[in-house]
Amino acid sequence: MSLRVFILAGEPSGDRLGAALMRRLKELAPGVTFEGVGGSQMQAEGLRSQFPMEELSVMGIAEVLPKYFDLKRRIQETADAVVALRPDVMITIDSPDFSLRVAKLVKDASDIRIVHYVAPSVWAWRPGRAAKMAKVIDHVLALLPFEPPYMEAAGMECDFVGHPVVAEPKATEAEIADFRAAHDLGDAPVLLALPGSRRSEVGRLADVFGTALQQFHASHPDHRIVVPAAAHVAPLVREKLADWPAGCRVLDPAAYTTAEFAAHKRAAFATAGLALAASGTVSLELAAARTPMVIAYRFNWLTWQIMKRMALIDTVTLVNLVSDTRVVPECLGPDCTADNIATQLDAVLAAPEAQFDAMRLTMERVGEGGDAPGVRAARAVLDRLPG
């Protein structure tokens, strides 16, 4: 009898994790079948999504409130589908506000085994989430090496499986040369600008990024600015560029095949000598490319007020956390101003080597050089299945 898996992802990063896990499960457990919710990458591995994953791609307390009743309906629909299917295992990927609510309803109605992929950042804020999560989750797949003890202390099984960034291909010299030629960059130094992958992020960050980059460009006119954009925010990014320095190059997935865009994006990361990025896992992508960075983020006012009172850490950047350093400068909340960002960009450009050791150590600690995270995750799921 083949393995039946219900798998659920709620945003693009989860879709990538889910696709890699599905691909490796198919290799290790031939005949495995999948049901659930996911995006284009999971669908390419054989999933028929019950509804568009994009309905779940919301972030922040204030952002979720207007969609509360729609999300609540989807939570119930998804839980009902799991209980009706009675899979051998249910795998939820990140998106805890959705995933863990589904998990609770499933556990209330069944004894289905539930695995959650991506440990919640209880080391950062709301540590009580681990104990609450343990009531409905049996097994956690952790991306960061310091997370298993937090999960195990709360009563869950937990395996560190590595971060997916370590499995991403590196840009070749030919790809870098093609990228520079395609975007008329010559030998100019490149600055990456990454204002986020959600419309809400781009809406809050694009203007302050633009002003900061105008200031930076005034003293460093030789730099070319490249803006890799997610497909669903690329039109908004282009609209916002009206107030950015002239000549910004936007990498829009709509202009390329999937393979071409991936090659251009990794070449952009490898080419850049400096980056300004929204807070998030992109800091690990930059570390993988050894691109020095400044991290900036503006939250909705209500979200910021709540988070700053509950935070247990003094940095949000994963490179700082994993390497146990504070070498990546941050401009967060009220400190996310154009003047502060421009000042930090100047400082990093003057001494980029200050971040190199931390980036190397970070990548080593999240699994660089070992088995691919998808392989480790699939093995962990299968090894801990009962019977």
Side-chain angles (χ1 to χ4, degrees), residues 211-242:
T211 304
L213 291 171
Q214 290 279 18
Q215 293 182 26
F216 176 85
H217 199 253
S219 53
H220 305 284
D222 57 332
H223 275 68
R224 301 293 180 264
I225 298 170
V226 175
V227 191
H232 57 285
V233 299
L236 179 59
V237 169
R238 289 189 182 280
E239 176 186 322
K240 293 289 187 178
L241 288 189

Side-chain angles (χ1 to χ4, degrees), residues 303-323:
T303 302
W304 172 253
Q305 295 301 315
I306 293 171
M307 289 185 67
K308 73 176 184 178
R309 286 167 172 77
M310 300 175 70
L312 304 175
I313 52 177
D314 63 350
T315 179
V316 300
T317 302
L318 287 172
V319 173
N320 287 342
L321 287 165
V322 175
S323 66

Side-chain angles (χ1 to χ4, degrees), residues 11 13 74 108 126 151 216 223 245 264 274 341 350 376:
E11 55 187 336
S13 60
R74 289 305 195 189
D108 286 345
R126 291 170 57 198
M151 302 295 103
F216 176 85
H223 275 68
H264 276 272
L274 179 63
I341 293 170
R376 296 171 66 170

Side-chain angles (χ1 to χ4, degrees), residues 35-331:
E35 300 279 349
V37 178
S40 60
Q41 295 190 50
M42 289 169 65
Q43 291 172 42
E45 295 298 331
L47 180 72
R48 183 178 59 82
S49 188
Q50 296 200 344
F51 56 84
M53 184 192 72
E54 289 72 22
E55 291 186 21
L56 308 181
S57 295
V58 292
M59 180 181 183
I61 297 165
E63 290 79 8
V64 170
L65 290 177
K67 299 186 177 182
Y68 173 76
F69 290 106
D70 288 336
L71 289 171
K72 187 174 181 180
R73 174 172 55 85
R74 289 305 195 189
I75 288 167
Q76 187 66 58
E77 287 178 3
T78 305
D80 289 345
V82 178
V83 173
L85 178 67
R86 291 204 60 81
D88 297 292
V89 62
M90 172 184 172
I91 302 172
T92 58
I93 306 174
D94 211 357
S95 303
D97 289 332
F98 184 83
S99 296
L100 298 185
R101 284 174 170 81
V102 173
K104 181 181 186 306
L105 292 176
V106 170
K107 277 296 186 187
D108 286 345
S110 74
D111 61 354
I112 293 169
R113 179 173 176 80
I114 303 179
V115 177
H116 189 68
Y117 197 173
V118 184
S121 51
V122 296
W123 36 267
W125 73 308
R126 291 170 57 198
R129 286 177 294 168
K132 185 177 180 181
M133 183 173 161
K135 296 176 182 178
V136 299
I137 298 297
D138 301 296
H139 180 199
V140 179
L141 305 176
L143 306 189
L144 302 174
F146 53 76
E147 292 177 323
Y150 292 93
M151 302 295 103
E152 292 165 349
M156 293 170 283
E157 300 168 349
C158 186
D159 291 294
F160 165 61
V161 299
H163 197 282
V165 71
V166 303
E168 294 295 322
K170 306 292 187 185
T172 65
E173 291 299 322
E175 287 174 337
I176 292 171
D178 288 346
F179 168 75
R180 281 191 169 274
H183 299 280
D184 193 26
L185 296 171
D187 295 325
V190 172
L191 184 155
L192 280 189
L194 299 145
S197 60
R198 299 179 178 87
R199 289 186 62 85
S200 58
E201 291 175 332
V202 174
R204 283 194 296 270
L205 292 173
D207 290 344
V208 69
F209 272 32
T211 304
L213 291 171
Q214 290 279 18
Q215 293 182 26
F216 176 85
H217 199 253
S219 53
H220 305 284
D222 57 332
H223 275 68
R224 301 293 180 264
I225 298 170
V226 175
V227 191
H232 57 285
V233 299
L236 179 59
V237 169
R238 289 189 182 280
E239 176 186 322
K240 293 289 187 178
L241 288 189
D243 296 322
W244 286 36
C248 291
R249 279 76 164 170
V250 177
L251 297 186
D252 184 345
Y256 307 96
T257 66
T258 300
E260 287 171 344
F261 178 75
H264 276 272
K265 181 180 176 182
R266 61 177 171 260
F269 276 63
T271 300
L274 179 63
L276 169 61
S279 175
T281 56
V282 70
S283 71
L284 292 183
E285 295 181 65
L286 292 166
R290 307 304 194 259
T291 306
M293 69 198 83
V294 173
I295 298 299
Y297 206 83
R298 277 181 171 172
F299 298 88
N300 172 279
W301 182 87
L302 175 60
T303 302
W304 172 253
Q305 295 301 315
I306 293 171
M307 289 185 67
K308 73 176 184 178
R309 286 167 172 77
M310 300 175 70
L312 304 175
I313 52 177
D314 63 350
T315 179
V316 300
T317 302
L318 287 172
V319 173
N320 287 342
L321 287 165
V322 175
S323 66
D324 196 25
T325 67
R326 297 297 181 266
V327 296
V328 176
E330 300 173 327
C331 302

